[in-house]
Amino acid sequence: MQIGSRYLGNRQCAFTVWAPQLKQVAVHLVAPEDKLIPLQQDEQGYWHGQAEAEPGALYFYQLDGETDRPDPASHCQPQGVHGPSQIVDHSSFTWMDQQWKNIPLEKMVIYELHVGTFTPEGTFEAIIPRIPELLELGVNAIELMPIAQFPGERNWGYDGTYLYGVQYSYGGVNGLKQLVNACHQQGMAVFLDAVYNHFGPEGNYIGCYGPYFTNKYKTPWGCAINFDDSYSHAVRNFFIQNALYWFREYHIDALRLDATDHILDHGAKHFLQELAEATEEFSQQQGRKFYLTAECDLNDVRWVRSREKGGFGLDAQWNDEFHHALHALLTGERNGYYLDFGDLDHMAKAYTHNFVYTWNFSKNRQKYHGSDPCDCSPNQFVVFSQNHDQVGNRMLGDRLCHLVSFEAQKLAAAVYLISPSIPLIFMGEEYGETAPFQYFVSHGDPDLVAAVRKGRKEEFAAFHAEGEAPDPQSEETFQRSKLHWDLRHEGQHQKLWLFYQTLLRLRREVPALNHADRQSLDVSVLADEKVLKLRRCHHDSQVLCLLNFNTQPSSIKMALPPGTWKKLLSSADPQWGGAGADLPDLIPTERDQTIAEQQLILGPESVVIYGSV
């Protein structure tokens, strides 16, 4: 059942809201005229009604004849999270993407961005001129951090309290539609980060309507959302309809589901499975595929296994352990969850299994952790060297370029862009953005601001961080996090951008890199030299990648398969800002047998890629 306000045309608007335990619910139109329209309740606790009202009209729901509250499924909150909701006519927008059919998930290169800091203007519309350059880089999907209406004008987005609303300061309803329309016309898919595990603390009135929360479980945000207790059928419907709303009204191609390990459901059919089924049905109706990817800290393969195999049937999940293995190797950090990582074997397993912990003992967690996903395709996992969490949840918001050498930045890019999994680039990393990405909010409640400051300090204690964190409430913290986009044309920044572009071109054009399965992937560790040897193949196409994590040159001897091997890329070459490495452009071997040995000298923290000719 669709909920919220639905403009029907001819000055008529329908309203549906779930409030099973209230005795009266009415629509209180407050502008352009003041009017009260009583609603009628059905047997499932939904209140329905119709009123004469035009798009742009403002309204509250009046609860039990006493209290006015915004619509929990409000499409627009022009006066913020405490103000009235606004009626929206979605049919008034002219879509120009009728030929768009989406991109296969396994072919996507995702670019995660925060709308407020990606451009000086901080709007949806301001992103549009940057689409061509992202396409030129090799990106074909952008992923927007959450844009559901949050308090104030600056926030990461995870404090959204109106999950159907579009952040007004970003450009609101039409701004988002214009962005998606422009992306589709140019061949770019759009992901949206959706938060279904909690509501933000300010402007959160949804508990006034019904039992949206349960005290059966606790989460980092308090009582869990009610996915399996009494009345949970309508709570589940609220979120399922939200996903379909983004697909239907905004033509969003995929949702990234935040922290799904905190969607707590012990019913016979997990909410995520029901959501996947609804998305699949909607995809069939529309004749194009819509995707669901998930963040999950459990290393639980059920998230992406098919329903026939007892899974939830989501399309992909973020692979944090790939990041942790890479980050620990490059930086030497061993605090917090990095305690479980740092060996070359961890990086090798991240390639072959995606999860590093597949029911192994975790020192950090002090328990056995994870499951084995080897029966799943590598392209059911999203990999990265940075993302909003791994940068922004550091005390100073420092990026990888603040922590490692320029050579190591190139190595990090190659590690995940040559993997068979779906790559995700965090905005700015492709040219070595120097601005940090720090945590920022603009709450109106002083007590809440104090609680946020205290909570962040306690978080950093787990990583033994010293010093003072930037004030999340300060506008300066937000302004510091804005990209310096023009850097991509300068010096080493430009070389890094071109290096990313070349890696993404190889990923597209070389069949061995373009094809993903575990059987065609071979990874071995040359521990003495801190080198990973990775070989990928598809029919006659073969690629050999040597990844040197040593801060000194490494001399390796190895056997090569028969044929001629051509150097496709070496990060140590001067064109990429390297000091140069004495590596042959061609390595011929005997056609009928593997040669005994080939000696190669790899530059410090470098990657070289050879392809069969």
Side-chain angles (χ1 to χ4, degrees), residues 5 46-47 137 143 212 238 256 317-318 377 382 426 487 518 528 610:
S5 61
Y46 288 94
W47 297 78
L137 176 66
E143 181 170 307
Y212 277 87
F238 178 91
R256 180 264 190 188
Q317 67 172 291
W318 279 30
S377 172
V382 178
F426 180 55
L487 281 178
R518 297 193 192 280
D528 291 344
Y610 281 95

PDB file of all heavy atoms in Angstrom, residues 5 46-47 137 143 212 238 256 317-318 377 382 426 487 518 528 610:
ATOM      1  N   SER A   5       1.094  11.530   0.767  1.00  0.00           N
ATOM      2  CA  SER A   5       0.157  12.293  -0.066  1.00  0.00           C
ATOM      3  C   SER A   5       0.402  11.964  -1.528  1.00  0.00           C
ATOM      4  O   SER A   5       1.549  11.803  -1.949  1.00  0.00           O
ATOM      5  CB  SER A   5       0.334  13.794   0.177  1.00  0.00           C
ATOM      6  OG  SER A   5       1.641  14.212  -0.161  1.00  0.00           O
ATOM      7  N   TYR A  46      -4.604   1.899   8.751  1.00  0.00           N
ATOM      8  CA  TYR A  46      -4.300   2.996   7.835  1.00  0.00           C
ATOM      9  C   TYR A  46      -5.470   3.973   7.798  1.00  0.00           C
ATOM     10  O   TYR A  46      -6.635   3.569   7.756  1.00  0.00           O
ATOM     11  CB  TYR A  46      -4.040   2.469   6.417  1.00  0.00           C
ATOM     12  CG  TYR A  46      -2.731   1.728   6.259  1.00  0.00           C
ATOM     13  CD1 TYR A  46      -2.686   0.333   6.379  1.00  0.00           C
ATOM     14  CD2 TYR A  46      -1.556   2.407   5.987  1.00  0.00           C
ATOM     15  CE1 TYR A  46      -1.485  -0.351   6.234  1.00  0.00           C
ATOM     16  CE2 TYR A  46      -0.353   1.729   5.835  1.00  0.00           C
ATOM     17  CZ  TYR A  46      -0.326   0.349   5.960  1.00  0.00           C
ATOM     18  OH  TYR A  46       0.868  -0.328   5.814  1.00  0.00           O
ATOM     19  N   TRP A  47      -5.149   5.251   7.795  1.00  0.00           N
ATOM     20  CA  TRP A  47      -6.141   6.313   7.676  1.00  0.00           C
ATOM     21  C   TRP A  47      -6.095   6.871   6.258  1.00  0.00           C
ATOM     22  O   TRP A  47      -5.020   7.151   5.723  1.00  0.00           O
ATOM     23  CB  TRP A  47      -5.869   7.426   8.681  1.00  0.00           C
ATOM     24  CG  TRP A  47      -5.969   6.983  10.118  1.00  0.00           C
ATOM     25  CD1 TRP A  47      -5.054   6.285  10.843  1.00  0.00           C
ATOM     26  CD2 TRP A  47      -7.071   7.205  11.001  1.00  0.00           C
ATOM     27  NE1 TRP A  47      -5.494   6.056  12.116  1.00  0.00           N
ATOM     28  CE2 TRP A  47      -6.737   6.620  12.259  1.00  0.00           C
ATOM     29  CE3 TRP A  47      -8.312   7.861  10.880  1.00  0.00           C
ATOM     30  CZ2 TRP A  47      -7.589   6.659  13.355  1.00  0.00           C
ATOM     31  CZ3 TRP A  47      -9.162   7.906  11.976  1.00  0.00           C
ATOM     32  CH2 TRP A  47      -8.803   7.303  13.203  1.00  0.00           C
ATOM     33  N   LEU A 137      36.680   9.724 -17.111  1.00  0.00           N
ATOM     34  CA  LEU A 137      37.531   8.975 -16.191  1.00  0.00           C
ATOM     35  C   LEU A 137      37.314   7.472 -16.330  1.00  0.00           C
ATOM     36  O   LEU A 137      38.251   6.680 -16.206  1.00  0.00           O
ATOM     37  CB  LEU A 137      37.235   9.410 -14.751  1.00  0.00           C
ATOM     38  CG  LEU A 137      37.962   8.674 -13.627  1.00  0.00           C
ATOM     39  CD1 LEU A 137      39.462   8.955 -13.679  1.00  0.00           C
ATOM     40  CD2 LEU A 137      37.394   9.090 -12.262  1.00  0.00           C
ATOM     41  N   GLU A 143      27.073   7.279  -6.801  1.00  0.00           N
ATOM     42  CA  GLU A 143      26.332   6.874  -5.608  1.00  0.00           C
ATOM     43  C   GLU A 143      26.248   8.064  -4.668  1.00  0.00           C
ATOM     44  O   GLU A 143      27.270   8.561  -4.173  1.00  0.00           O
ATOM     45  CB  GLU A 143      27.019   5.696  -4.913  1.00  0.00           C
ATOM     46  CG  GLU A 143      26.272   5.210  -3.679  1.00  0.00           C
ATOM     47  CD  GLU A 143      26.827   3.902  -3.147  1.00  0.00           C
ATOM     48  OE1 GLU A 143      26.932   2.936  -3.934  1.00  0.00           O
ATOM     49  OE2 GLU A 143      27.168   3.853  -1.949  1.00  0.00           O
ATOM     50  N   TYR A 212       6.638   1.996  15.472  1.00  0.00           N
ATOM     51  CA  TYR A 212       7.704   1.833  14.484  1.00  0.00           C
ATOM     52  C   TYR A 212       8.972   1.267  15.114  1.00  0.00           C
ATOM     53  O   TYR A 212       9.878   0.842  14.408  1.00  0.00           O
ATOM     54  CB  TYR A 212       8.022   3.176  13.820  1.00  0.00           C
ATOM     55  CG  TYR A 212       7.083   3.520  12.685  1.00  0.00           C
ATOM     56  CD1 TYR A 212       5.883   4.183  12.918  1.00  0.00           C
ATOM     57  CD2 TYR A 212       7.397   3.184  11.379  1.00  0.00           C
ATOM     58  CE1 TYR A 212       5.021   4.501  11.877  1.00  0.00           C
ATOM     59  CE2 TYR A 212       6.548   3.494  10.330  1.00  0.00           C
ATOM     60  CZ  TYR A 212       5.368   4.150  10.587  1.00  0.00           C
ATOM     61  OH  TYR A 212       4.523   4.453   9.551  1.00  0.00           O
ATOM     62  N   PHE A 238       6.259   0.390   5.104  1.00  0.00           N
ATOM     63  CA  PHE A 238       6.778   1.764   5.033  1.00  0.00           C
ATOM     64  C   PHE A 238       8.119   1.794   4.297  1.00  0.00           C
ATOM     65  O   PHE A 238       8.349   2.650   3.427  1.00  0.00           O
ATOM     66  CB  PHE A 238       6.944   2.321   6.451  1.00  0.00           C
ATOM     67  CG  PHE A 238       7.523   3.706   6.532  1.00  0.00           C
ATOM     68  CD1 PHE A 238       6.698   4.817   6.534  1.00  0.00           C
ATOM     69  CD2 PHE A 238       8.901   3.905   6.612  1.00  0.00           C
ATOM     70  CE1 PHE A 238       7.226   6.100   6.614  1.00  0.00           C
ATOM     71  CE2 PHE A 238       9.439   5.183   6.691  1.00  0.00           C
ATOM     72  CZ  PHE A 238       8.592   6.282   6.690  1.00  0.00           C
ATOM     73  N   ARG A 256      21.854   1.584  -2.090  1.00  0.00           N
ATOM     74  CA  ARG A 256      22.861   1.045  -1.184  1.00  0.00           C
ATOM     75  C   ARG A 256      22.241   1.116   0.206  1.00  0.00           C
ATOM     76  O   ARG A 256      21.895   2.188   0.688  1.00  0.00           O
ATOM     77  CB  ARG A 256      24.149   1.864  -1.268  1.00  0.00           C
ATOM     78  CG  ARG A 256      25.279   1.388  -0.348  1.00  0.00           C
ATOM     79  CD  ARG A 256      25.313   2.169   0.940  1.00  0.00           C
ATOM     80  NE  ARG A 256      26.507   1.908   1.742  1.00  0.00           N
ATOM     81  CZ  ARG A 256      26.685   2.358   2.971  1.00  0.00           C
ATOM     82  NH1 ARG A 256      25.756   3.091   3.566  1.00  0.00           N
ATOM     83  NH2 ARG A 256      27.782   2.080   3.638  1.00  0.00           N
ATOM     84  N   GLN A 317      27.076  -6.807  -1.860  1.00  0.00           N
ATOM     85  CA  GLN A 317      27.322  -6.143  -0.587  1.00  0.00           C
ATOM     86  C   GLN A 317      28.720  -5.543  -0.573  1.00  0.00           C
ATOM     87  O   GLN A 317      29.622  -5.999  -1.272  1.00  0.00           O
ATOM     88  CB  GLN A 317      27.128  -7.088   0.596  1.00  0.00           C
ATOM     89  CG  GLN A 317      28.108  -8.220   0.737  1.00  0.00           C
ATOM     90  CD  GLN A 317      27.909  -8.963   2.060  1.00  0.00           C
ATOM     91  OE1 GLN A 317      28.178  -8.435   3.125  1.00  0.00           O
ATOM     92  NE2 GLN A 317      27.445 -10.200   1.970  1.00  0.00           N
ATOM     93  N   TRP A 318      28.861  -4.484   0.211  1.00  0.00           N
ATOM     94  CA  TRP A 318      30.165  -3.845   0.381  1.00  0.00           C
ATOM     95  C   TRP A 318      31.116  -4.801   1.083  1.00  0.00           C
ATOM     96  O   TRP A 318      30.729  -5.516   2.009  1.00  0.00           O
ATOM     97  CB  TRP A 318      30.011  -2.566   1.217  1.00  0.00           C
ATOM     98  CG  TRP A 318      29.551  -1.386   0.433  1.00  0.00           C
ATOM     99  CD1 TRP A 318      28.759  -1.390  -0.670  1.00  0.00           C
ATOM    100  CD2 TRP A 318      29.859  -0.018   0.702  1.00  0.00           C
ATOM    101  NE1 TRP A 318      28.540  -0.107  -1.106  1.00  0.00           N
ATOM    102  CE2 TRP A 318      29.204   0.755  -0.279  1.00  0.00           C
ATOM    103  CE3 TRP A 318      30.600   0.633   1.678  1.00  0.00           C
ATOM    104  CZ2 TRP A 318      29.283   2.141  -0.319  1.00  0.00           C
ATOM    105  CZ3 TRP A 318      30.680   2.018   1.647  1.00  0.00           C
ATOM    106  CH2 TRP A 318      30.040   2.768   0.654  1.00  0.00           C
ATOM    107  N   SER A 377      29.627 -15.164  -6.845  1.00  0.00           N
ATOM    108  CA  SER A 377      30.510 -14.514  -7.808  1.00  0.00           C
ATOM    109  C   SER A 377      31.238 -13.342  -7.167  1.00  0.00           C
ATOM    110  O   SER A 377      30.673 -12.646  -6.314  1.00  0.00           O
ATOM    111  CB  SER A 377      29.690 -14.004  -8.996  1.00  0.00           C
ATOM    112  OG  SER A 377      30.491 -13.216  -9.847  1.00  0.00           O
ATOM    113  N   VAL A 382      31.385  -5.251  -3.529  1.00  0.00           N
ATOM    114  CA  VAL A 382      31.880  -3.923  -3.894  1.00  0.00           C
ATOM    115  C   VAL A 382      33.163  -3.672  -3.109  1.00  0.00           C
ATOM    116  O   VAL A 382      33.174  -3.795  -1.873  1.00  0.00           O
ATOM    117  CB  VAL A 382      30.829  -2.835  -3.578  1.00  0.00           C
ATOM    118  CG1 VAL A 382      31.375  -1.450  -3.916  1.00  0.00           C
ATOM    119  CG2 VAL A 382      29.524  -3.108  -4.331  1.00  0.00           C
ATOM    120  N   PHE A 426      35.922   6.784  -4.049  1.00  0.00           N
ATOM    121  CA  PHE A 426      35.387   7.832  -3.186  1.00  0.00           C
ATOM    122  C   PHE A 426      35.807   9.187  -3.743  1.00  0.00           C
ATOM    123  O   PHE A 426      36.975   9.407  -4.061  1.00  0.00           O
ATOM    124  CB  PHE A 426      35.896   7.679  -1.756  1.00  0.00           C
ATOM    125  CG  PHE A 426      35.375   8.741  -0.817  1.00  0.00           C
ATOM    126  CD1 PHE A 426      34.008   8.946  -0.678  1.00  0.00           C
ATOM    127  CD2 PHE A 426      36.241   9.533  -0.101  1.00  0.00           C
ATOM    128  CE1 PHE A 426      33.517   9.928   0.173  1.00  0.00           C
ATOM    129  CE2 PHE A 426      35.772  10.523   0.756  1.00  0.00           C
ATOM    130  CZ  PHE A 426      34.402  10.716   0.890  1.00  0.00           C
ATOM    131  N   LEU A 487      42.201  20.717  -8.854  1.00  0.00           N
ATOM    132  CA  LEU A 487      43.490  20.046  -8.642  1.00  0.00           C
ATOM    133  C   LEU A 487      43.756  18.960  -9.678  1.00  0.00           C
ATOM    134  O   LEU A 487      44.914  18.636  -9.965  1.00  0.00           O
ATOM    135  CB  LEU A 487      43.538  19.413  -7.242  1.00  0.00           C
ATOM    136  CG  LEU A 487      43.819  20.314  -6.047  1.00  0.00           C
ATOM    137  CD1 LEU A 487      43.765  19.487  -4.758  1.00  0.00           C
ATOM    138  CD2 LEU A 487      45.179  20.992  -6.181  1.00  0.00           C
ATOM    139  N   ARG A 518      35.800 -16.839 -10.005  1.00  0.00           N
ATOM    140  CA  ARG A 518      36.887 -17.258  -9.099  1.00  0.00           C
ATOM    141  C   ARG A 518      37.817 -18.268  -9.756  1.00  0.00           C
ATOM    142  O   ARG A 518      38.990 -18.357  -9.409  1.00  0.00           O
ATOM    143  CB  ARG A 518      36.294 -17.833  -7.809  1.00  0.00           C
ATOM    144  CG  ARG A 518      35.485 -16.814  -7.032  1.00  0.00           C
ATOM    145  CD  ARG A 518      35.166 -17.273  -5.620  1.00  0.00           C
ATOM    146  NE  ARG A 518      34.172 -16.391  -5.026  1.00  0.00           N
ATOM    147  CZ  ARG A 518      34.439 -15.198  -4.499  1.00  0.00           C
ATOM    148  NH1 ARG A 518      35.673 -14.756  -4.480  1.00  0.00           N
ATOM    149  NH2 ARG A 518      33.474 -14.456  -3.985  1.00  0.00           N
ATOM    150  N   ASP A 528      58.783 -13.120   0.924  1.00  0.00           N
ATOM    151  CA  ASP A 528      60.108 -12.549   1.194  1.00  0.00           C
ATOM    152  C   ASP A 528      60.245 -11.152   0.606  1.00  0.00           C
ATOM    153  O   ASP A 528      60.972 -10.307   1.136  1.00  0.00           O
ATOM    154  CB  ASP A 528      61.207 -13.455   0.621  1.00  0.00           C
ATOM    155  CG  ASP A 528      61.301 -14.760   1.401  1.00  0.00           C
ATOM    156  OD1 ASP A 528      60.748 -14.807   2.513  1.00  0.00           O
ATOM    157  OD2 ASP A 528      61.914 -15.709   0.895  1.00  0.00           O
ATOM    158  N   TYR A 610      51.231  -7.114 -16.969  1.00  0.00           N
ATOM    159  CA  TYR A 610      51.561  -7.684 -18.277  1.00  0.00           C
ATOM    160  C   TYR A 610      50.341  -8.413 -18.829  1.00  0.00           C
ATOM    161  O   TYR A 610      49.589  -9.044 -18.078  1.00  0.00           O
ATOM    162  CB  TYR A 610      52.731  -8.661 -18.165  1.00  0.00           C
ATOM    163  CG  TYR A 610      54.091  -8.007 -18.082  1.00  0.00           C
ATOM    164  CD1 TYR A 610      54.701  -7.760 -16.853  1.00  0.00           C
ATOM    165  CD2 TYR A 610      54.767  -7.632 -19.242  1.00  0.00           C
ATOM    166  CE1 TYR A 610      55.942  -7.152 -16.776  1.00  0.00           C
ATOM    167  CE2 TYR A 610      56.020  -7.026 -19.170  1.00  0.00           C
ATOM    168  CZ  TYR A 610      56.592  -6.786 -17.939  1.00  0.00           C
ATOM    169  OH  TYR A 610      57.826  -6.182 -17.870  1.00  0.00           O
TER     170      TYR A 610
END
